[in-house]
Amino acid sequence: QKDPLGQYNLGKMYEFGQGVSQNYKEASKWYQLAADQGDTTAQFLLGKMYANGQGVSQDYEKAVKWYELAAEQGEVTAQFNLGKLYAEGKVGVKNYKEAIKWYRLAAEQGDTKSQSILGSMYAEGIGVSKNYKTSIRWYMRSAEQGNAEAQSSLGRIYAEGTGVEKDYKEAIKWYRLAVEQGDIRSKSILGSMYAEGHGVKRDYKEAIKWFVSAAKQKDPLGQYNLGELYAKGKGVPQNYKEAIKWYRLAANQGDTKSQSILGEMYDFGRGVKQDYQEAIEWYRLAVKKNDASAQSSLGLMYQYGHGVKQNYDEALRLFYLSAVQKDSYGQSNLGYMYHKGLGVEQNHKEAIKWY
């Protein structure tokens, strides 16, 4: 009888396999019929099916069409999804202004994810002029509703003093709230606050507790920080083998600092047998991500021919890449090359500049 509510409900049953075999194609058919009659939820769900390619060929333009029809009737998730599609450039080039328009509509209806994203866009000046005051306002609205990402972002803002007076105690307050919502990264950051004595009395035991908790949940920052404590003997006896264990876990997840440090451990034989080839592999992974420390270290391998054929040109290139990122070792190494005329014409003036 062409009842849109009945059509929508039938589509939902096929989508989720409620009383019938799950069938996305059949679900999309019934959603289409309901959507054509103006059913807001069916329009949104049909848009989602086009966006995900469920029961229909993936088609972002059709997804936008149906999302917009639902969004214009106030469907908040459709508004959020539209913002995401425009921000990610799923419909042509990235269109941050259009994304902000839809995120704002959702945010004004209380959508915490949209509020948090708006906070980050104002903080970074994406699609809008950078405005820390507005950024904090949106983060605060989201955080007060329990959004962990916004709570963590507020923690960072207060810890760094970005747009507000630096306040470690306020930072800790927001990081703790994020942790209570299950935010793993905030555990690692809380650990760092205890390790460094920011806003709290320095307490390595408490720091380790947070680092271990985060590391066991596969957070690379927590794993890296544990590696640091064991490598430097802070709060625990110095133990390079234990440090390497945690650095490796983080490095295998792509943590650049851990990759660079693992390179150093193999380069100098700390906790492992010295192995230039292994060191070079780790250095190169970090260099691919433009890590200044790894660039300088790999440059030294080429300068002295450790594990590779000696190559002053490559050493110079790597030292320069490191030096322009203001890495003191890269600058010093580049200065030395000019000082001694290695791979380049001797130039004391240029050497002094980099020294």
Side-chain angles (χ1 to χ4, degrees), residues 162-283:
T162 306
V164 293
E165 188 175 341
K166 189 178 284 189
D167 186 335
Y168 288 128
K169 287 188 177 180
E170 188 70 10
I172 285 172
K173 164 192 156 183
W174 288 110
Y175 282 134
R176 283 192 185 280
L177 287 169
V179 166
E180 287 171 10
Q181 300 293 326
D183 188 68
I184 300 168
R185 178 53 54 96
S186 291
K187 290 182 179 180
S188 294
I189 297 169
L190 261 183
S192 296
M193 304 288 275
Y194 277 101
E196 295 163 16
H198 288 163
V200 289
K201 185 179 178 181
R202 179 173 283 168
D203 185 338
Y204 286 121
K205 187 177 179 180
E206 188 71 9
I208 290 167
K209 180 190 90 173
W210 289 112
F211 290 153
V212 168
S213 179
K216 285 182 175 179
Q217 291 180 275
K218 300 182 179 180
D219 179 57
L221 180 59
Q223 294 165 342
Y224 163 78
N225 284 331
L226 273 176
E228 286 284 277
L229 291 184
Y230 279 106
K232 296 173 182 177
K234 291 185 175 181
V236 289
Q238 189 178 51
N239 186 328
Y240 286 132
K241 286 188 177 180
E242 190 69 12
I244 284 171
K245 164 190 158 183
W246 291 109
Y247 283 140
R248 192 183 302 279
L249 286 169
N252 285 335
Q253 291 192 76
D255 184 73
T256 308
K257 287 188 291 184
S258 296
Q259 290 169 342
S260 181
I261 291 170
L262 266 182
E264 288 180 23
M265 305 291 268
Y266 279 102
D267 193 351
F268 298 101
R270 294 181 187 138
V272 288
K273 184 179 178 181
Q274 189 177 50
D275 186 334
Y276 289 141
Q277 293 298 328
E278 187 77 9
I280 287 167
E281 283 185 29
W282 288 112
Y283 283 147

Side-chain angles (χ1 to χ4, degrees), residues 331 334-336 338-339 347-355:
Q331 292 168 336
L334 187 57
Y336 183 82
Y338 277 106
H339 183 189
N347 186 328
H348 288 151
K349 187 176 179 180
E350 192 69 10
I352 289 167
K353 166 188 163 185
W354 290 109
Y355 280 149

Side-chain angles (χ1 to χ4, degrees), residues 6-166:
Q7 293 165 339
Y8 156 72
N9 284 329
L10 196 52
K12 189 176 177 183
M13 292 177 78
Y14 277 108
E15 181 180 1
F16 296 102
Q18 297 171 337
V20 292
S21 298
Q22 189 178 52
N23 187 325
Y24 289 132
K25 189 174 181 180
E26 194 68 15
S28 67
K29 178 186 98 174
W30 290 107
Y31 284 149
Q32 180 83 56
L33 290 168
D36 285 338
Q37 294 192 71
D39 186 274
T40 306
T41 308
Q43 290 169 340
F44 159 65
L45 292 172
L46 186 59
K48 184 164 68 78
M49 297 195 90
Y50 275 110
N52 297 332
Q54 293 176 315
V56 291
S57 298
Q58 190 174 53
D59 188 326
Y60 289 119
E61 288 187 2
K62 286 184 178 178
V64 166
K65 169 192 167 183
W66 290 109
Y67 278 154
E68 283 189 351
L69 286 168
E72 285 165 0
Q73 296 181 71
E75 216 297 327
V76 68
T77 311
Q79 293 168 342
F80 170 80
N81 286 355
L82 274 172
K84 192 176 181 188
L85 287 179
Y86 281 111
E88 294 176 354
K90 298 293 187 183
V91 276
V93 296
K94 291 179 180 179
N95 188 335
Y96 292 123
K97 288 188 177 180
E98 191 69 13
I100 284 172
K101 165 190 160 183
W102 292 109
Y103 281 141
R104 192 187 303 280
L105 286 168
E108 286 170 352
Q109 290 199 74
D111 184 70
T112 63
K113 288 189 292 184
S114 296
Q115 291 167 342
S116 182
I117 290 169
L118 276 177
S120 67
M121 293 180 89
Y122 274 102
E124 297 168 30
I126 298 173
V128 288
S129 298
K130 190 177 285 189
N131 188 319
Y132 292 126
K133 187 176 179 181
T134 304
S135 168
I136 291 167
R137 179 168 61 84
W138 282 115
Y139 277 142
M140 196 67 75
R141 286 180 66 175
S142 180
E144 286 173 348
Q145 293 187 76
N147 184 281
E149 189 175 337
Q151 291 167 339
S152 181
S153 295
L154 279 174
R156 186 187 69 252
I157 284 168
Y158 281 104
E160 296 174 356
T162 306
V164 293
E165 188 175 341
K166 189 178 284 189

